Amino acid sequence: MSHSQRFYGCLFTLISFFIASNAQADVKDVELREHFGEQQFAPQGGFVLKQGQKLPELVWEHPQQVARVVDQTAIPTRWFNEQFEEVQTAQETGRYYVYGTAPVPAGPVLRRAMTCCCVGSDIALEELAQKWLQSSIPASKTVSPPDNVAALVRQWQHSEVGAVELAALLEADFKPDPVRRGQWQMENATRHVQLKRKLMGLDPRPLLKPTPRLLEGEPAPVLRNAPLQQAGITAAQQQKIEEKLGTWYSASSEPMAIVIARNGVIITAKGYGSVDGQPVTVDTPMKLDSAMKPLIGLQLATYLDRGFLRLDQPIGEIIPDFDTPRDRSLTFRAAHVHATGIHFPWSLAFERLFYFHTWHEALIAHCKRDWEPGSKYRYGVVGVILSVRALELLRGRNYWDAMERDLFQPLGIKNVLPGGTGFSAESLARIGVLLDNRGRYGKWEIISPETHAAILPTPLKLYLPELNMKYGIGLQDESHYLGPGSYGHGGGCGTLLVINPKQHLVFAMVRNGQGKEYKKYRTEVMALLKEWVDD
């Protein structure tokens, strides 16, 4: 081969390499633009501030990546103190809120806010960490391992969750009363809802609280202990179902708690196994996963019932990021029946749990649209996220914080953990009895029978002509479990709520995992219950 041939061969290889590299870079840039809402930013220097310091700017987690698709990477940053007054320096110790409106390649800016914690300039984080760890370990140990101290300091400095924890510990002088898991994060999320209302100019508008109504006349049935005769169930039927539940636990060894009631009368209420070293009872909080959807549907129903919202109202009328031509058909109904058309994969949903992420809609606004809202069904969580973010703006509280006050308290529900990370079988059964009573419980009317009917599984074609299916607001058709007309919802962890309205039968089960042969035993238990329905 001549020198010229070798030269041109090398040149051709080099050109091909550059073309391939550029093509690959173009593909990556297209993908980056499509998923730009997933980009993260945080305060420069971390989430712990020193008293007297000038407050820092927000910076991208991956600035070089962002610079490929955004010309100006600087993030306009605003700081607020605990009273939501805009400030430039950290004058007092305590909580500070940083808000950014980050530039994007296309679409609305990425709006996010975070909580930081300011400590005294003479305070050493290592000493605080040592103090907290010492209060959390047995008295026989006087010094925490250095690795534990360093890990706790890193958590405070480099995560908002850590900064919120640090702020709560400082407020309680590191001697807090026992708090529920998630309590501090829920309270912090409510503060962010209040900041969000201020930044959106909603402060002058009154908060909308869907207060339950006192019933006139005879109270509705409540979940209660009473003779089996009042439930129309024999002792033999009760024994048969309890034997089957015992066999189920023996086969799977997966902890669970179950409450079965008819006409509000408890037929069986038992816990199986142990969680965190404690025997499971019907008051033990366990996971909900997607069994949270009936609760979120009920919460929306209270706003519908008071005339605060309409089921076929566009969500964009509440959340500005979705007040666009492409989202005009994205109604509360379309959101709750999983017809948003928004591509929000499960991997992203699990990575960015929505419970306390007040600014989640900014991420969702940048997600790809796969089809027109209301035209196709795809099960997911994105619709309920948008629904609760809208309700938060109306109520002025984190959705779960509001649910505990407006829905759970009137029902006497307790033993729950913020965000739906823990819910007891007894509490879930109360929700079931409320639904079976068409929105009433004891002396309270949570929603009217008319609103209750509006959230039940119904053919969607009348409202969304392209959807030839039956679905409700947080409720699925569960006729295959307990016969025609039955409805409810389950979660991936195995938690399940099913109501048969004709026989007034409620089945409530909570679990942290499905365990072995879950479907087999669930089918067998439901078959036994269906015998009661058929009889």
Side-chain angles (χ1 to χ4, degrees):
M1 183 182 292
S2 67
H3 289 296
S4 60
Q5 287 174 319
R6 282 197 297 270
F7 171 77
Y8 285 114
C10 292
L11 182 60
F12 176 78
T13 301
L14 191 59
I15 291 172
S16 299
F17 172 78
F18 277 119
I19 291 173
S21 298
N22 288 335
Q24 191 175 16
D26 288 343
V27 170
K28 287 183 177 179
D29 286 353
V30 169
E31 186 177 349
L32 178 59
R33 287 188 179 91
E34 285 184 353
H35 297 273
F36 195 81
E38 299 173 34
Q39 294 297 315
Q40 303 268 38
F41 50 80
Q44 191 170 30
F47 291 85
V48 176
L49 312 169
K50 285 292 184 179
Q51 189 176 10
Q53 80 167 85
K54 185 178 185 299
L55 293 166
E57 297 295 311
L58 288 164
V59 293
W60 293 104
E61 183 180 16
H62 301 293
Q64 292 180 330
Q65 197 173 41
V66 169
R68 296 207 325 247
V69 294
V70 173
D71 293 333
Q72 298 294 329
T73 58
I75 301 172
T77 304
R78 298 168 67 185
W79 283 89
F80 299 86
N81 62 17
E82 289 198 69
Q83 291 73 45
F84 303 137
E85 301 165 332
E86 194 157 0
V87 294
Q88 303 295 323
T89 60
Q91 297 175 342
E92 305 291 336
T93 59
R95 298 171 194 261
Y96 285 81
Y97 305 95
V98 57
Y99 172 68
T101 49
V104 299
V109 295
L110 276 182
R111 297 175 298 105
R112 288 183 188 146
M114 287 148 267
T115 300
C116 296
C117 180
C118 177
V119 300
S121 57
D122 58 338
I123 297 293
L125 291 179
E126 290 76 11
E127 294 176 9
L128 293 178
Q130 181 71 45
K131 180 180 178 180
W132 174 237
L133 289 170
Q134 280 182 339
S135 69
S136 309
I137 60 176
S140 58
K141 296 183 180 180
T142 57
V143 179
S144 298
D147 288 350
N148 292 354
V149 172
L152 183 55
V153 169
R154 282 196 302 273
Q155 178 180 320
W156 289 344
Q157 288 179 321
H158 299 297
S159 74
E160 184 184 12
V161 169
V164 170
E165 176 186 274
L166 176 59
L169 292 172
L170 287 170
E171 288 166 0
D173 193 24
F174 279 72
K175 296 176 183 177
D177 294 327
V179 294
R180 298 176 298 168
R181 186 175 71 245
Q183 181 73 27
W184 291 335
Q185 300 304 322
M186 181 180 74
E187 292 170 355
N188 180 65
T190 283
R191 291 186 175 102
H192 275 272
V193 172
Q194 293 162 356
L195 173 62
K196 193 178 189 181
R197 279 178 57 91
K198 174 185 174 73
L199 292 169
M200 292 177 66
L202 299 177
D203 268 357
R205 298 186 187 180
L207 298 175
L208 301 181
K209 181 179 179 180
T211 306
R213 292 182 284 259
L214 273 172
L215 277 174
E216 296 180 4
E218 195 75 18
V222 298
L223 185 70
R224 65 200 185 278
N225 289 303
L228 280 180
Q229 292 91 328
Q230 293 186 24
I233 297 296
T234 67
Q237 288 174 311
Q238 180 194 52
Q239 181 180 358
K240 192 173 181 181
I241 194 71
E242 289 187 351
E243 286 176 352
K244 177 60 68 175
L245 294 173
T247 302
W248 186 354
Y249 174 68
S250 297
S252 70
S253 298
E254 185 66 39
M256 65 180 183
I258 293 176
V259 175
I260 303 172
R262 193 175 191 185
N263 301 317
V265 175
I266 295 173
I267 297 164
T268 186
K270 282 193 172 185
Y272 301 81
S274 62
V275 171
D276 297 330
Q278 298 296 319
V280 171
T281 72
V282 293
D283 290 323
T284 301
M286 302 181 82
K287 290 172 66 175
L288 278 172
D289 287 353
S290 284
M292 193 194 305
K293 289 185 171 78
L295 306 181
I296 294 174
L298 259 175
Q299 185 178 37
L300 174 65
T302 61
Y303 287 78
L304 301 173
D305 195 71
R306 306 310 185 271
F308 297 155
L309 291 171
R310 305 181 314 279
L311 199 48
D312 294 301
Q313 177 178 349
I315 284 179
E317 292 183 9
I318 312 294
I319 305 178
D321 284 355
F322 292 85
D323 187 18
T324 65
R326 68 176 181 176
D327 295 316
R328 201 152 286 147
S329 303
L330 179 51
T331 62
F332 284 94
R333 187 190 303 274
H336 278 266
V337 303
H338 309 292
T340 65
I342 298 172
H343 184 72
F344 194 78
W346 283 108
S347 58
L348 186 57
F350 288 129
E351 180 187 340
R352 309 273 183 95
L353 289 175
F354 70 93
Y355 310 142
F356 311 126
H357 284 220
T358 307
W359 307 86
H360 223 90
E361 76 273 11
L363 159 61
I364 296 170
H366 285 267
C367 289
K368 182 182 175 184
R369 303 310 196 263
D370 286 340
W371 54 73
E372 183 75 13
S375 62
K376 289 184 182 180
Y377 166 88
R378 178 172 60 202
Y379 185 78
V381 72
V382 65
V384 296
I385 295 175
L386 293 178
S387 179
V388 301
R389 294 292 92 99
L391 296 188
E392 287 174 347
L393 289 173
L394 302 180
R395 181 65 175 86
R397 289 190 173 276
N398 166 260
Y399 83 102
W400 190 269
D401 188 0
M403 211 184 302
E404 290 192 354
R405 296 165 185 267
D406 305 338
L407 181 59
F408 298 164
Q409 283 185 8
L411 298 179
I413 285 177
K414 51 189 185 299
N415 298 321
V416 302
L417 299 179
T421 55
F423 210 77
S424 72
E426 204 264 6
S427 298
L428 194 60
R430 287 179 184 239
I431 296 292
V433 172
L434 166 71
L435 289 166
D436 183 51
N437 292 339
R438 299 166 65 204
R440 297 168 176 177
Y441 193 89
K443 63 181 181 179
W444 297 110
E445 182 175 82
I446 304 299
I447 56 174
S448 68
E450 293 76 20
T451 300
H452 173 262
I455 67 172
L456 291 179
T458 187
L460 295 177
K461 211 168 181 59
L462 178 63
Y463 311 99
L464 304 169
E466 296 179 69
L467 290 186
N468 188 21
M469 59 183 294
K470 196 175 184 181
Y471 217 94
I473 307 304
L475 298 168
Q476 295 175 319
D477 183 348
E478 303 288 22
S479 299
H480 57 293
Y481 286 143
L482 294 182
S486 298
Y487 60 89
H489 210 293
C493 55
T495 293
L496 179 63
L497 174 65
V498 184
I499 300 109
N500 179 294
K502 293 181 181 177
Q503 296 294 328
H504 303 292
L505 184 64
V506 171
F507 175 87
M509 171 174 65
V510 296
R511 312 168 67 93
N512 288 329
Q514 292 190 7
K516 293 180 290 186
E517 298 188 282
Y518 173 81
K519 291 183 179 179
K520 172 182 182 294
Y521 284 101
R522 180 187 62 188
T523 300
E524 292 178 3
V525 166
M526 290 297 165
L528 286 178
L529 295 179
K530 196 168 180 300
E531 288 179 10
W532 301 357
V533 172
D534 293 339
D535 288 344

